[in-house]
Amino acid sequence: LLGDIKTAVAGYVAEKLKNNGATTSGVTSDFKMAMMVAHNMVWKLGMGTNGAVGDYTAIPENEVSDEVKSKLNRETQLILSQCIKDVEDLLKKEDRILERFASELVSREELEYDDIEAIFAEFGKVNPRQISTKRNAPGDSSEGQTQGGSTGS
């Protein structure tokens, strides 16, 4: 779920980094998605850090105290803030890749999946799913091996 939030806020963070803190209205639906996931994590799934467990949406709103609502809303904001920080740290670390994507998007407006894969490959970043698919391909010499490298039997 944190990955879903980070994916949703990535556009916002990238715009903020590349536009001197300014963003566009394009982040609205991204924030809506991120807020919904974080809210559900805290309010429905008990995934905050304050120890509150249970589905608070099952209780009529007027029966949940303002103190509990504030506590849950703070937890929701903490999750969002941490995800934004994590994405910002990653994008700063991988600034060259971000610049490459920004340049490509400015000239083309949208990218196909294969285009995205190709840009990552330029920087030596390979899709981990491709690695595991190749590793598990029929006839692969690693097939049937245990983690230590010996075959089982």
Side-chain angles (χ1 to χ4, degrees), residues 21-83:
T23 60
T24 65
S25 61
V27 300
T28 304
S29 63
D30 297 337
F31 270 131
K32 184 176 183 177
M33 172 60 123
M35 289 290 295
M36 183 182 72
V37 174
H39 176 85
N40 287 338
M41 286 175 67
V42 174
W43 282 77
K44 291 183 175 184
L45 303 173
M47 296 176 79
T49 60
N50 66 11
V53 178
D55 182 355
Y56 287 88
T57 63
I59 303 168
E61 188 175 338
N62 63 340
E63 293 181 24
V64 179
S65 73
D66 288 342
E67 180 184 340
V68 169
K69 289 177 191 175
S70 291
K71 195 179 202 184
L72 296 172
N73 287 335
R74 276 193 302 276
E75 287 290 317
T76 301
Q77 276 306 130
L78 282 172
I79 289 171
L80 286 170
S81 296
Q82 186 60 54
C83 287

Side-chain angles (χ1 to χ4, degrees), residues 81-136:
S81 296
Q82 186 60 54
C83 287
I84 288 171
K85 183 188 178 320
D86 291 351
V87 170
E88 190 171 313
D89 291 347
L90 176 67
L91 292 181
K92 285 178 178 177
K93 177 183 166 207
E94 301 291 356
D95 186 62
R96 289 180 47 228
I97 299 173
L98 178 58
E99 283 296 326
R100 176 71 172 89
F101 274 109
S103 170
E104 200 66 30
L105 285 167
V106 165
S107 67
R108 296 176 43 193
E109 292 190 25
E110 64 181 52
L111 300 173
E112 299 293 327
Y113 182 84
D114 291 340
D115 300 326
I116 294 167
E117 290 272 317
I119 291 171
F120 277 123
E122 285 175 29
F123 293 90
K125 306 287 184 180
V126 181
N127 184 336
R129 287 187 216 131
Q130 289 178 340
I131 294 169
S132 66
T133 301
K134 288 177 185 175
R135 197 175 290 145
N136 296 328

